[in-house]
Amino acid sequence: MLRGVVGSFFLSVRPMHQPVDFVVTWVDGNDEAWREEKRRCEARVSAVESLDKGSERYRNWDLFFYWFRAVEQYAPWVNKVYLVTCGHVPAWLERGNPKLVVVKHSDFIPPEYLPTFNSLAIELNLHRIKGLSEHFVYFNDDTILTNHVSPEDFFQDGKPLVCSSAAYVLNSPDNGVFNHQLFSAVGLMNAYDWQKVIEKAPSKWFYYRYGAKLRYSWNAYKHKYLTGVYYTHMPQAFRKSTFEKVWANHAEQLSATCSHQFRTPMDVSHQVFSLQEIADGSYVPMARHHYGRIWTDIGADKDLFAADIRRHRDKIVCVHDNHNITAEGFEEVRSTVAQAFEDILPDACSFENRK
């Protein structure tokens, strides 16, 4: 029986006292040496593994320095910033900044998985980064702060904020490969009896801010199996110890993902770590749009997107590149978005060396 749901919805904000690091992954898609190695690897992979080689995944929007300006402007409290690359770094980067740590893939990813162009292989091994704090926030380079954030936006009382709003993982034409990877992550976590999981922390699972979507949560409780949770392409709060736990329990499946040089439908998404936090009940429930909404078609909505950046509508925005932005129209979209960031973040920061 579920008890204590009503009356436990309104959870107080618990401050974060431990250091919090940011981790951001970046690739220079214009680096000719990197492109040549990628071409050699593509020639060797199977037809299945080659499903995820779209050029839009590596287009250079030339916005990355705004990511650092935004961190300095809107999250000056961050402990360290770990920049993860295959080895190259932006020419403008100030490597002498005491908060910056540049990490190559070979510094933390086991050699048997290298070289890799599989973002999941990189993400599944982040806990191996030397010196990384227990509490860290993982960013893709296309997710940029546009308003002030605090440590409590990511962690409270040492626990990560996680959206546990139940959902169905659908095999849709637009997100087929990605949703397969989410489905694989959910499959690993269905080793748990979710009815028992929910009964241990019902106020988190049936969080009042999930509204009408709570009907999916009831289904998970009724059937004991999880069909998925709401996922958005935004920064995620993680704990190293949770990575270690999942690796200890599912090393074979995670290793299989890491062995693929390019993403495949069979891979396991890094969402598995957030699902582990939910299964353990060691998290704080987060609203579905805690940081802001995702613009799925910036190409068509570039002017609206730019306007939202300028008025700081959200705490974080995602510059979501996809096949809807044609090669011919890319520069117009890129320049419109870049100008919006220039308007709110015009000054070089301590992570830049512009001499």
Side-chain angles (χ1 to χ4, degrees):
M1 297 290 292
L2 291 175
R3 297 177 181 175
V5 177
V6 178
S8 299
F9 280 161
F10 296 91
L11 305 174
S12 59
V13 174
R14 294 174 290 278
M16 180 65 187
H17 299 295
Q18 297 91 344
V20 177
D21 294 334
F22 285 176
V23 177
V24 60
T25 51
W26 176 79
V27 62
D28 181 2
N30 293 327
D31 183 331
E32 189 52 43
W34 176 86
R35 291 162 66 95
E36 178 55 32
E37 184 172 46
K38 178 173 175 284
R39 283 192 290 266
R40 287 197 302 269
C41 292
E42 285 175 340
R44 296 195 301 266
V45 299
S46 68
V48 172
E49 196 168 345
S50 65
L51 290 174
D52 190 38
K53 298 187 298 185
S55 61
E56 69 274 3
R57 296 196 61 238
Y58 304 103
R59 282 194 289 211
N60 185 3
W61 284 68
D62 195 24
L63 301 175
F64 195 36
F65 56 92
Y66 292 119
W67 187 93
F68 284 95
R69 292 183 186 183
V71 168
E72 188 160 282
Q73 178 71 24
Y74 301 126
W77 48 264
V78 69
N79 179 52
K80 295 284 186 182
V81 174
Y82 288 83
L83 169 59
V84 176
T85 83
C86 68
H88 49 221
V89 297
W92 46 260
L93 188 69
E94 176 49 73
R95 299 190 63 167
N97 187 307
K99 282 192 173 185
L100 177 67
V101 182
V102 177
V103 185
K104 296 186 296 184
H105 294 172
S106 58
D107 291 335
F108 71 100
I109 299 177
E112 60 267 29
Y113 304 140
L114 296 175
T116 187
F117 302 89
N118 183 346
S119 60
L120 298 180
I122 299 167
E123 292 159 350
L124 294 181
N125 287 283
L126 292 177
H127 65 297
R128 305 183 197 277
I129 295 175
K130 184 178 179 180
L132 182 66
S133 295
E134 163 71 358
H135 299 87
F136 68 95
V137 183
Y138 170 58
F139 288 76
N140 290 117
D141 65 352
D142 60 356
T143 53
I144 302 175
L145 300 176
T146 53
N147 212 330
H148 294 278
V149 292
S150 71
E152 288 73 34
D153 280 310
F154 305 102
F155 296 94
Q156 293 174 21
D157 194 28
K159 298 176 182 178
L161 270 72
V162 178
C163 181
S164 56
S165 175
Y168 289 112
V169 177
L170 300 176
N171 183 13
S172 67
D174 291 335
N175 292 297
V177 173
F178 180 68
N179 281 351
H180 272 293
Q181 295 153 1
L182 294 180
F183 189 75
S184 296
V186 170
L188 293 185
M189 290 298 106
N190 271 330
Y192 291 89
D193 181 331
W194 280 86
Q195 188 174 81
K196 293 180 179 178
V197 168
I198 294 167
E199 286 178 345
K200 289 180 180 178
S203 62
K204 295 182 179 182
W205 188 251
F206 295 103
Y207 184 40
Y208 78 101
R209 295 189 69 179
Y210 295 154
K213 301 299 181 182
L214 286 173
R215 66 185 186 275
Y216 299 132
S217 300
W218 282 110
N219 287 338
Y221 177 71
K222 178 180 178 180
H223 297 291
K224 301 183 181 181
Y225 290 107
L226 187 65
T227 56
V229 297
Y230 181 76
Y231 175 84
T232 182
H233 186 63
M234 281 288 179
Q236 290 182 274
F238 287 127
R239 296 189 290 190
K240 284 202 309 184
S241 55
T242 303
F243 275 59
E244 292 162 356
K245 179 176 183 176
V246 176
W247 268 97
N249 293 336
H250 305 287
E252 182 178 353
Q253 295 92 333
L254 300 191
S255 182
T257 292
C258 295
S259 68
H260 298 144
Q261 288 185 305
F262 296 89
R263 292 196 301 177
T264 81
M266 292 79 72
D267 289 344
V268 176
S269 164
H270 65 285
Q271 192 191 25
V272 70
F273 303 117
S274 294
L275 292 174
Q276 183 68 64
E277 300 284 16
I278 297 172
D280 291 340
S282 55
Y283 73 103
V284 175
M286 180 179 74
R288 290 163 61 91
H289 302 292
H290 178 66
Y291 302 120
R293 60 175 170 163
I294 296 291
W295 292 75
T296 57
D297 191 358
I298 296 177
D301 299 324
K302 63 182 185 300
D303 294 324
L304 292 174
F305 181 61
D308 273 4
I309 292 172
R310 289 189 178 96
R311 64 190 180 98
H312 309 277
R313 177 185 181 275
D314 303 306
K315 295 179 180 180
I316 304 169
V317 299
C318 175
V319 184
H320 181 60
D321 199 346
N322 57 51
H323 62 273
N324 292 329
I325 304 175
T326 65
E328 295 76 17
F330 172 71
E331 180 52 34
E332 181 182 357
V333 176
R334 190 209 67 78
S335 61
T336 299
V337 174
Q339 186 58 57
F341 281 115
E342 181 65 21
D343 290 343
I344 68 168
L345 297 164
D347 299 323
C349 68
S350 64
F351 292 97
E352 296 174 75
N353 182 353
R354 297 291 184 176
K355 296 178 182 178

